């Protein structure tokens, strides 16, 4: 396996208009044929103010089968100062079925009358909700296991594939990853300071078909992990880049 160890990595995210807007920490732990990978994306600076200090967490747990990462449970958590949404996906690969449990909590202001001083006060109260359902489409992967399987799915033999993963926008199978080669690869190299080993193009169709399409260039290092990513000019905000700033490997 290309990931014959555990690792922790941090990426800094930069937007031309705002500067550094946050960082993403990813950690992989392996125990024999089992794995757990966790990604925590944290906003900072102006972005934290605009997005109410949003933190997004993604966790994938499952098994390693012939070098591929197959999820059993995928968790997606979005948190702000006053709201939390947790979605947990349980994979039943034998039945080709996925059950999703969603839990929401939020702080709301509620007026209370205090009879002792005849005053009405506003206080924050936590409201919670929970639902469970079998999702419409079965997927055998989530976004994190798809990331770990990139070089297995897309290489010199199979140079392009559609991502069909829980946690991604793939309602119409419109996310495509392609391994660049030849003149396309040479042209893409000019966007990066170091000479990349592998460059992938991540193509995502917009939700609004009238919107322009901006692809993402993704560089993988010799270790098979993402090193740098670049999204070209976006209307009024500029370029968005993610760069690996730390990388620690622990041999098993």
């Amino acid at each position: 396996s290309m990931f014959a160890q555990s690792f922790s990595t941090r990426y800094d995210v930069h937007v031309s208009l705002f500067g550094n807007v946050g960082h993403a920490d990813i950690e992989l732990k392996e125990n024999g044929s089992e794995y757990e990978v966790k990604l925590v994306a944290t906003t900072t600076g102006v972005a934290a103010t605009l997005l109410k200090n949003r933190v997004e967490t993604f966790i994938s747990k499952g098994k390693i089968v012939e070098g591929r990462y197959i999820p059993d449970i995928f968790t997606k958590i979005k948190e702000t100062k006053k709201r939390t949404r947790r979605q947990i996906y349980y994979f039943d690969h034998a039945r080709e079925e996925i059950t999703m449990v969603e839990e929401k909590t939020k702080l709301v202001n509620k007026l209370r009358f205090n009879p002792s001083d005849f005053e009405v006060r506003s206080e924050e109260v936590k409201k919670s909700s929970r639902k469970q359902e079998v999702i419409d489409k079965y997927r055998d992967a989530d976004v994190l296991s798809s990331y770990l399987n990139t070089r297995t799915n897309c290489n010199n033999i199979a140079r392009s594939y559609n991502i069909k993963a829980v946690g991604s926008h793939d309602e119409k199978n419109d996310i495509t990853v392609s391994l660049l080669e030849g003149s396309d690869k040479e042209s893409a190299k000019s966007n990066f300071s170091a000479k990349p080993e592998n460059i992938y193009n991540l193509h995502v169709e917009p939700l609004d078909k009238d919107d322009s399409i901006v692809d993402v260039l993704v560089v993988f290092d010799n270790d098979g992990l993402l090193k740098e990513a670049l999204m070209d000019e976006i209307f009024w905000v500029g370029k968005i880049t993610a760069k690996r700033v730390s990388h620690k490997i622990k041999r098993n």
Side-chain angles (χ1 to χ4, degrees), residues 35-198:
Y35 79 91
E36 176 179 341
V37 59
K38 180 178 182 180
L39 170 66
V40 180
T42 306
T43 54
T44 58
V46 175
T49 302
L50 294 174
L51 297 174
K52 302 178 181 179
N53 293 322
R54 189 164 78 186
V55 176
E56 296 190 28
T57 303
F58 305 84
I59 305 169
S60 176
K61 298 180 181 179
K63 299 177 179 61
I64 305 171
V65 181
E66 296 181 352
R68 292 179 57 82
Y69 295 78
I70 311 297
D72 292 324
I73 301 174
F74 175 67
T75 303
K76 181 168 62 173
I77 306 168
K78 182 183 293 185
E79 299 173 280
T80 63
K81 287 182 177 180
K82 294 189 176 183
R83 294 175 181 266
T84 299
R85 184 179 70 176
R86 181 189 304 268
Q87 295 173 312
I88 307 174
Y89 298 83
Y90 298 90
F91 292 78
D92 187 334
H93 297 292
R95 297 175 61 182
E96 295 191 350
E97 185 175 278
I98 301 173
T99 301
M100 189 271 287
V101 176
E102 181 178 73
E103 300 169 338
K104 293 182 179 180
T105 61
K106 64 179 179 179
L107 295 176
V108 297
N109 291 321
K110 188 172 183 178
L111 296 177
R112 292 186 183 276
F113 174 72
N114 189 339
S116 64
D117 55 13
F118 295 96
E119 288 188 359
V120 177
R121 296 188 178 92
S122 176
E123 63 180 42
E124 287 188 335
V125 178
K126 181 182 290 187
K127 296 185 67 174
S128 302
S129 64
R130 185 181 189 275
K131 72 174 183 179
Q132 178 174 321
E133 62 181 2
V134 176
I135 65 175
D136 293 336
K137 293 183 179 180
Y138 165 74
R139 299 286 186 250
D140 63 359
D142 57 53
V143 290
L144 293 183
S145 62
S146 290
Y147 162 59
L148 295 177
N149 290 329
T150 298
R151 287 184 64 175
T152 303
N153 292 332
C154 189
N155 47 49
N156 290 328
I157 299 175
R159 295 184 177 275
S160 181
Y161 79 104
N162 289 330
I163 292 181
K164 301 177 183 179
V166 171
S168 67
H169 165 55
D170 63 349
E171 290 87 351
K172 296 182 180 180
N173 301 336
D174 52 6
I175 303 178
T176 306
V177 176
S178 302
L179 178 63
L180 298 184
E181 59 180 335
S183 60
D184 291 334
K185 181 177 180 180
E186 292 303 315
S187 177
K189 280 184 178 180
S190 62
N191 293 286
F192 305 99
S193 55
K195 292 182 179 180
E197 177 69 17
N198 291 302

Side-chain angles (χ1 to χ4, degrees), residues 183-233:
S183 60
D184 291 334
K185 181 177 180 180
E186 292 303 315
S187 177
K189 280 184 178 180
S190 62
N191 293 286
F192 305 99
S193 55
K195 292 182 179 180
E197 177 69 17
N198 291 302
I199 304 178
Y200 293 89
N201 186 82
L202 180 64
H203 174 83
V204 183
E205 289 288 339
L207 289 171
D208 186 343
K209 298 304 181 183
D210 293 330
D211 288 346
S212 59
I213 297 173
V214 180
D215 290 351
V216 181
L217 293 177
V218 182
V219 170
F220 273 54
D221 210 344
N222 292 325
D223 54 17
L225 301 173
L226 187 150
K227 184 176 183 180
E228 188 173 352
L230 167 67
M231 179 181 287
D232 213 344
E233 296 289 339

